[in-house]
Amino acid sequence: MPPNSENANHQTQSAPVDDIADRTTDEQKSKIIVKYRKNFYDITRFLHKHPGGINTLRGLENADMTARFMRAPPHSDAAMYLMKEYQIKTIPPKWRNGRRHAPEIKENIEIVEEEDHDENAKKHTNNNDLDDSMEHLVDWSQAMLPQIAKITPYYNEWVHKPVDRPLRLFGPWYLEMCTKTPWWVVPAFWIPVITALIYNQFQEPFANRDILKITFLSLYFVMGILLWTLLEYVLHRHVFHMQMVGNPSPWLCTFHFMIHGLHHKVPFDPMRLVFPPLPAVILCLFFYTPLSLIFPQPRVLLAGSLLGYLGYDMIHYYLHYGNPSLKQLYFMKRYHYQHHFAHQDLGYGVSNPLWDFVFKTSIHLRKLTFHLKWK
């Protein structure tokens, strides 16, 4: 055996272990762990998802946030339920050698809270108590859709208690694949369709310089966009949030979960924030058929409606994962998060709140003294 071969071999084998230990230490240092009452929570992956912004969570690293949390406006039931997703069972090393104290805090914070004067506040808040978990009703390691029929008496309550974990909708991989859509697939599919519709309808009047027809078609196009905003509201309110009272039908619960319930259950799933093109085409044909019998220029109307839909889907994705600075988008992000975590029975507008104001289902957002940030 060559001299020092044993030591060399030992060093070769131990180097990866040292690297792993270093990486583990670095990962532990980068984690944001907080204490609330007697429990610990790793909120590292929640920071950019926090409805109240990442800047309202600064200064909480390895801190006891109980006092800060209790002084904040009451959190909604859904927010408190989601909090359990980040609970850790073991006591972090930095907390084992004595009690730590939370840093100085600011009072003006927002997560998902109610106004003090809101008559519905008691219905949506629970004084910062953690809800009992309902996740024992299902097996998250299995396909979820076949399980919905078994929990129909509890479905309406369960589906509005959000979690942050992977969801498998179907068992077979080829069906599951069809339920996941990257955001860019939607514009890649629909922009050529919209462009073709516009080109085919406007080509002739532009070639003939027919100003009157161009104006007429343009008005129809704008009408199509406005029509979509109404359809967006009606679908979201009366189909996506259909009333589930008593013991609803297993088929109805399964259908609801597939089209929208899963989004409220796992609101942070980036692959299920936009509508897959195939079912969108089916819905498009369903609504276009009667319109083609009523309106004289249905394809222009369709092009405007599709552009409205495309804007809706892209805005919806951005509201969940973007960091808006434009006033309208900033307002809609706060507005939409309130719909998700505090007022599931209000705020049905996603791209805009127009029809919420018309039909008196708008959400009143409290004024803040600072600007929320999500990155």
Side-chain angles (χ1 to χ4, degrees):
M1 179 180 295
N4 299 326
S5 62
E6 184 176 353
N7 293 336
N9 189 36
H10 173 73
Q11 291 173 357
T12 302
Q13 293 178 355
S14 63
V17 176
D18 294 338
D19 291 343
I20 292 173
D22 291 340
R23 287 198 298 270
T24 303
T25 302
D26 292 339
E27 290 174 359
Q28 290 176 347
K29 289 180 179 179
S30 63
K31 287 185 176 181
I32 309 298
I33 297 177
V34 299
K35 182 181 180 183
Y36 175 64
R37 293 182 173 173
K38 296 181 179 180
N39 297 316
F40 295 91
Y41 300 86
D42 182 355
I43 62 172
T44 309
R45 61 191 175 97
F46 177 65
L47 292 178
H48 73 282
K49 304 172 184 177
H50 180 221
I54 192 172
N55 50 329
T56 59
L57 298 178
R58 286 175 181 160
L60 286 178
E61 296 88 344
N62 298 305
D64 186 336
M65 70 172 189
T66 305
R68 174 175 182 167
F69 204 86
M70 298 303 290
R71 281 199 289 267
H75 288 63
S76 67
D77 291 343
M80 297 304 299
Y81 192 88
L82 177 64
M83 187 175 173
K84 291 195 301 294
E85 291 293 287
Y86 310 104
Q87 184 176 343
I88 56 178
K89 302 300 182 181
T90 58
I91 300 177
K94 292 184 178 181
W95 290 83
R96 292 174 187 167
N97 298 323
R99 181 177 299 175
R100 299 179 65 94
H101 300 279
E104 189 66 25
I105 63 170
K106 294 181 180 180
E107 296 291 341
N108 295 325
I109 65 175
E110 172 191 283
I111 301 186
V112 277
E113 78 296 334
E114 305 295 328
E115 289 287 339
D116 292 339
H117 57 77
D118 193 336
E119 295 180 356
N120 296 321
K122 293 182 179 179
K123 180 176 71 173
H124 293 291
T125 59
N126 58 13
N127 294 323
N128 292 331
D129 291 330
L130 291 176
D131 287 347
D132 291 333
S133 178
M134 298 183 69
E135 302 316 311
H136 66 277
L137 296 173
V138 295
D139 183 355
W140 280 89
S141 65
Q142 302 297 320
M144 189 61 66
L145 202 61
Q147 302 182 63
I148 300 301
K150 303 174 184 178
I151 63 168
T152 52
Y154 316 100
Y155 172 76
N156 192 51
E157 182 181 2
W158 172 82
V159 80
H160 290 107
K161 292 182 179 294
V163 296
D164 186 5
R165 60 182 74 177
L167 168 71
R168 186 175 185 87
L169 200 59
F170 292 101
W173 66 268
Y174 49 88
L175 291 178
E176 179 68 8
M177 180 181 64
C178 295
T179 70
K180 297 183 177 182
T181 309
W183 71 267
W184 53 266
V185 169
V186 174
F189 181 87
W190 286 112
I191 287 178
V193 174
I194 296 169
T195 302
L197 287 170
I198 294 174
Y199 179 79
N200 290 334
Q201 296 300 304
F202 281 85
Q203 180 186 20
E204 182 180 346
F206 266 104
N208 297 331
R209 297 182 180 180
D210 189 342
I211 304 300
L212 182 62
K213 189 171 184 179
I214 292 173
T215 303
F216 175 74
L217 292 176
S218 299
L219 290 174
Y220 257 73
F221 185 77
V222 174
M223 181 180 173
I225 296 175
L226 187 62
L227 179 64
W228 164 257
T229 62
L230 177 60
L231 185 61
E232 169 192 324
Y233 177 87
V234 171
L235 285 174
H236 196 180
R237 179 177 181 178
H238 297 292
V239 180
F240 295 169
H241 284 269
M242 65 180 75
Q243 294 297 317
M244 300 280 189
V245 294
N247 190 8
S249 162
W251 286 104
L252 184 63
C253 292
T254 302
F255 173 73
H256 176 266
F257 188 74
M258 185 169 59
I259 63 170
H260 192 66
L262 63 88
H263 177 52
H264 273 262
K265 190 62 185 177
V266 286
F268 303 125
D269 188 341
M271 298 294 283
R272 291 193 171 102
L273 287 176
V274 295
F275 209 57
L278 180 58
V281 169
I282 297 173
L283 282 176
C284 178
L285 294 175
F286 175 80
F287 287 108
Y288 174 73
T289 302
L291 289 177
S292 64
L293 302 176
I294 300 173
F295 295 98
Q297 297 292 340
R299 292 187 179 181
V300 177
L301 198 70
L302 176 63
S305 298
L306 288 177
L307 183 63
Y309 156 71
L310 178 61
Y312 151 81
D313 238 358
M314 295 297 95
I315 289 173
H316 185 217
Y317 184 90
Y318 186 71
L319 295 183
H320 277 268
Y321 275 91
N323 181 34
S325 56
L326 292 178
K327 184 177 181 180
Q328 179 63 18
L329 289 175
Y330 175 79
F331 172 85
M332 288 309 302
K333 184 176 178 84
R334 289 186 61 205
Y335 192 83
H336 189 57
Y337 270 161
Q338 289 291 320
H339 166 74
H340 264 282
F341 300 105
H343 301 281
Q344 290 91 352
D345 54 350
L346 296 172
Y348 300 106
V350 177
S351 62
N352 68 88
L354 170 63
W355 298 107
D356 279 319
F357 289 112
V358 172
F359 295 110
K360 302 185 185 305
T361 56
S362 60
I363 299 172
H364 175 69
L365 299 181
R366 59 191 291 264
K367 294 182 179 180
L368 302 178
T369 58
F370 57 96
H371 189 85
L372 298 179
K373 297 180 180 179
W374 288 272
K375 286 185 180 178

